[in-house]
Amino acid sequence: MKILLIGNGAREHCIAEALTRSFGSELATYAKAKNPGIFALSKQYQLGSYTDESAILDFARKVKPDFAFIGPDDPIADGVADLLLELGIHSVAPLKTVARLESSKSFTRDLVKKYGIPGNPKFKIFYDMNGVRKFLEELGGEFVIKADGLTGGKGVLISGEHLAGIEEGEEYAKKCIGKFGRVVIEEKLVGQEFSLMSFVDGVHVVDMVPVQDHKRAFVDDKGPNTGGMGSYSSSNHLLPFLTQKDLDDAHAITEKVLAALFKETGAQFKGIMYGGFMAVKDGVKLIEYNARFGDPEVMNVLPILKTDFVEICQAILAGNLDKIKIEFEKKATVCKYIAPEGYPDKPVSGQKITIENQKPASVKEGDLKMYYASVDQKPDGLYLSSSRAIAFVGIADTLEKAEQIAESACGNVKGHVFYRPDIGTKALIEKRVGMMRKLRGK
Ligand code: AMP
Ligand code: GLY
């Protein structure tokens, strides 16, 4: 089985590991940079840009893969799955028309509304500034303003956090309209966020284990939003603040959205649907969908996947996900990202880092995973690029143990880096559980 992988982050390193665990699989990777982890797992490795269509097609013609797996959001949104289909190569990633689920927030809000699916907060889409102020006032000054395009997770600004009041809201809305032609404004929800990623074959939806990400850069959820500083999942495949009903409700939303997508576009979504949900006072709300695996969330789920991942990919493409049993180990996981100092606003770059004693002697083989993200491997060692550098994942029977494993590895990275020691700790998780209890009056 020959697989063409596109992407070079820690997410794709983790995907590459899962794909190559399958007996007889062979990986050829097309990437923007040399990720030392993916490079070591690949038979062929081609550097190139995601927008260079002829370079992608040339490599695909040479590789002749049985299927492709596209990791990052930008080549998915740009239609690389459509491009590969011209050669008859199917991708575990959606075609451009259904990838709008992620690339256009207004498309998804409208779709959910049009098909009467629950989960939307109060929202409106504006194409000019007419009525913006009135709506911000209607929301009682508690609002969220979303740029309607791919912004690397940095296009969403929230009142009280990033926007001091209605005037600043108007200013940002104007900027968004200037850049993308429209803006989404919605009610500010209060609750706990969780990520529920699902394997999707066009018709069937099979959920992975729910995960909680940490978007803020610094300890105690302070500082600017990032791509995600780390994440955790529980051994019972719930989250400490989540009920089974919350999870069932989120699943039902994804099933309905998948069906609505087909009705709306005539195209089947095949790949990963990643719902960002919020558990709120009276249920579950939809924050957004992504059309790919989450980064870091993928690192919480694929390492504990018991089912052969290549088999799952084949079932996604064949439309028979209902015919296979997909299982995850009953383990807790904690992922922590090492990032360059100054990330995300003014990251240092080009500085050397060293990893001492990769696996502490007390940690069992397989209980600690390391995935490379933005690093540059030179003959004399590893260098930082300007984004998240390395992720460590601890895997254990309890969250406490998983956290300790990840934590012990983070301390071994020396250089101009930082990470969040609080991710996955009892203190932080209890805070979240307490917040939910208070909100729901239980
Ligand atoms: P998004 O890019 O849509 O995931 O938004 C980025 C982040 O903004 C989310 O992870 C949430 O933390 C926050 N956010 C988005 N929409 C809302 C909302 N309606 N209410 C509160 N927070 C939100
Ligand atoms: N964990 C955030 C993302 O992958 O978009």
Side-chain angles (χ1 to χ4, degrees), residues 11 213 215 227-228 274 288 290 292-297:
R11 170 180 45 215
D213 185 16
K215 295 214 185 248
Y274 152 11
E288 64 160 356
N290 296 313
R292 52 171 173 84
F293 274 120
D295 184 353
E297 291 96 320

